[in-house]
Amino acid sequence: DVFQQATLERADGPSQYDYLRRLAAYLMTLDQREKQTGRNGVRAIGVLGSDAYDKVLVLDALPAQFPKAVFFAPDLDARLLGREVIRSTQNLIVASSYGLTLNPKIQDAAPPFRDTYQSGLYLSTRVALDPVLQRLSSADFSPWFRTPQLIEIGRTPAVPLSPALPLSKHYENIHALDEQAGFSPWLNRTLVLTLLVVAVTGALGLCFLPRHT
């Protein structure tokens, strides 16, 4: 086991664990230095980047060394909510354009999405297909995107922290204030077309991903 751990932390090859070890050592040194000068030390740590797996690796490595620090990250992703990672991601604060679901009036019968990007694609497609929303100007949409949503990773659901402010005369709020509510299994023609666009776009994205050998 010791030999295997040493192999994982070597500073070569495809493994990234050596970066995490050096990052943890650097932050602990910084924390001690700050406390020696009478300050509070490291109180918050941002885990930036778009890859959910990389975020989980960082959250596996650092919270034990900084139990009182607040961890935050961008872009909500369902992979941060899995039962196998929740011990590392619980209480993570996420700033995200969207949750995994939208307002029930917009979400309709669509199931929760995998990440904030799918939610955004679904919303933009619904807007493009809605004859009422097509008549709106860009200024009508700007309040929807003025500030990101703040979401905390709970033990099972993602908990929205942002207030329920009215954002449009057509919808009280485009965001779902409860990720578990508002789902109905009944599909309509517009929804089927919207989901088809999301699925095709996702499939095309996979086609252009680099292949690892």
Side-chain angles (χ1 to χ4, degrees):
D1 291 340
V2 174
F3 177 77
Q4 183 179 11
Q5 183 68 22
T7 302
L8 287 174
E9 295 191 1
R10 288 179 54 184
D12 59 9
S15 174
Q16 304 293 312
Y17 287 96
D18 61 297
Y19 286 103
L20 296 177
R21 175 173 49 79
R22 291 196 298 273
L23 175 62
Y26 170 77
L27 289 176
M28 291 177 65
T29 300
L30 176 63
D31 182 63
Q32 295 172 0
R33 187 185 307 145
E34 291 289 300
K35 290 179 178 178
Q36 288 173 355
T37 61
R39 299 177 181 175
N40 292 321
V42 176
R43 302 294 300 274
I45 298 175
V47 186
L48 306 181
S50 59
D51 189 277
Y53 293 114
D54 289 342
K55 291 175 184 174
V56 171
L57 285 177
V58 174
L59 293 169
D60 278 340
L62 294 183
Q65 283 75 29
F66 301 94
K68 296 183 179 180
V70 174
F71 286 79
F72 62 93
D75 302 333
L76 185 62
D77 192 299
R79 290 170 292 183
L80 300 175
L81 299 168
R83 184 177 301 175
E84 68 280 1
V85 301
I86 199 63
R87 291 182 61 183
S88 301
T89 61
Q90 187 176 352
N91 300 128
L92 175 71
I93 304 298
V94 181
S96 187
S97 299
Y98 312 98
L100 302 181
T101 59
L102 301 168
N103 183 298
K105 294 180 182 178
I106 304 174
Q107 188 76 16
D108 205 346
F113 298 108
R114 285 185 173 182
D115 56 42
T116 181
Y117 300 105
Q118 284 191 347
S119 298
L121 176 60
Y122 175 81
L123 174 63
S124 61
T125 306
R126 288 299 301 263
V127 168
L129 297 175
D130 191 314
V132 176
L133 295 179
Q134 286 174 2
R135 295 193 291 267
L136 299 180
S137 66
S138 298
D140 293 317
F141 292 104
S142 60
W144 292 9
F145 313 107
R146 189 167 295 158
T147 57
Q149 295 295 293
L150 294 181
I151 301 166
E152 182 176 4
I153 305 297
R155 282 188 292 182
T156 49
V159 182
L161 302 178
S162 301
L165 298 178
L167 298 181
S168 167
K169 61 184 178 182
H170 300 279
Y171 299 110
E172 293 181 359
N173 195 309
I174 64 170
H175 305 285
L177 302 180
D178 184 350
E179 292 284 341
Q180 308 299 313
F183 173 69
S184 169
W186 304 107
L187 300 176
N188 57 51
R189 185 172 61 182
T190 301
L191 180 60
V192 170
L193 181 58
T194 304
L195 292 174
L196 181 62
V197 171
V198 173
V200 170
T201 304
L204 290 175
L206 289 176
C207 291
F208 290 99
L209 285 176
R211 298 185 180 275
H212 300 283
T213 57

